[in-house]
Amino acid sequence: MVILGLASLAWGAAALSTGRLVVPRTVLAGALGALALTAALMFAAPAHTSIVGVAAASLLLVVVGASAALHVRRTARDSRAPRTAQPMSVVGLLVAAAVIAVVVTPALGATQNAVLLRDDGTVPVISHEGH
């Protein structure tokens, strides 16, 4: 999963710098593989896995995979598909960032609680009083 995460970051940087989907077939395979690994990890350690985190990751992976699949299908149908960067509006970029923030922020909070969960079902409370 760490390798897939690092590869996703590199792909995201490449896609943002070129303004188009880069290596869409590889992205589609990576998204499907990441979905399978996410499900496997959820079943491997269910007590320490956040269902909110898994749902958010799955949602984002499905969106990326569907975008890659549509791109592959479009380029297979029309071999003259544009290879140049498409302009993106600032409003579109802000809306996309807001959606990501709304999906990811609660998932990160739930993931931290799931990781800290003790075997008895409690989460440790850190207090800075009484130094």
Side-chain angles (χ1 to χ4, degrees):
M1 289 299 281
V2 171
I3 292 170
L4 279 173
L6 292 174
S8 297
L9 286 174
W11 173 80
L16 284 173
S17 68
T18 61
R20 63 182 177 88
L21 284 175
V22 199
V23 292
R25 291 182 191 274
T26 305
V27 169
L28 181 56
L32 290 173
L35 273 171
L37 278 173
T38 302
L41 288 174
M42 183 179 68
F43 289 114
H48 295 285
T49 303
S50 164
I51 192 68
V52 176
V54 170
S58 298
L59 173 69
L60 295 173
L61 287 167
V62 166
V63 169
V64 169
S67 298
L70 287 172
H71 183 75
V72 168
R73 187 173 181 146
R74 189 178 326 123
T75 55
R77 194 174 357 152
D78 184 14
S79 61
R80 298 172 288 121
R83 306 253 334 150
T84 60
Q86 301 296 321
M88 179 180 240
S89 71
V90 174
V91 174
L93 190 59
L94 289 174
V95 169
V99 169
I100 295 297
V102 166
V103 170
V104 172
T105 303
L108 287 174
T111 300
Q112 180 182 5
N113 289 342
V115 169
L116 295 176
L117 189 67
R118 294 182 181 153
D119 289 335
D120 64 356
T122 62
V123 176
V125 176
I126 299 172
S127 174
H128 297 288
E129 297 173 10
H131 285 314

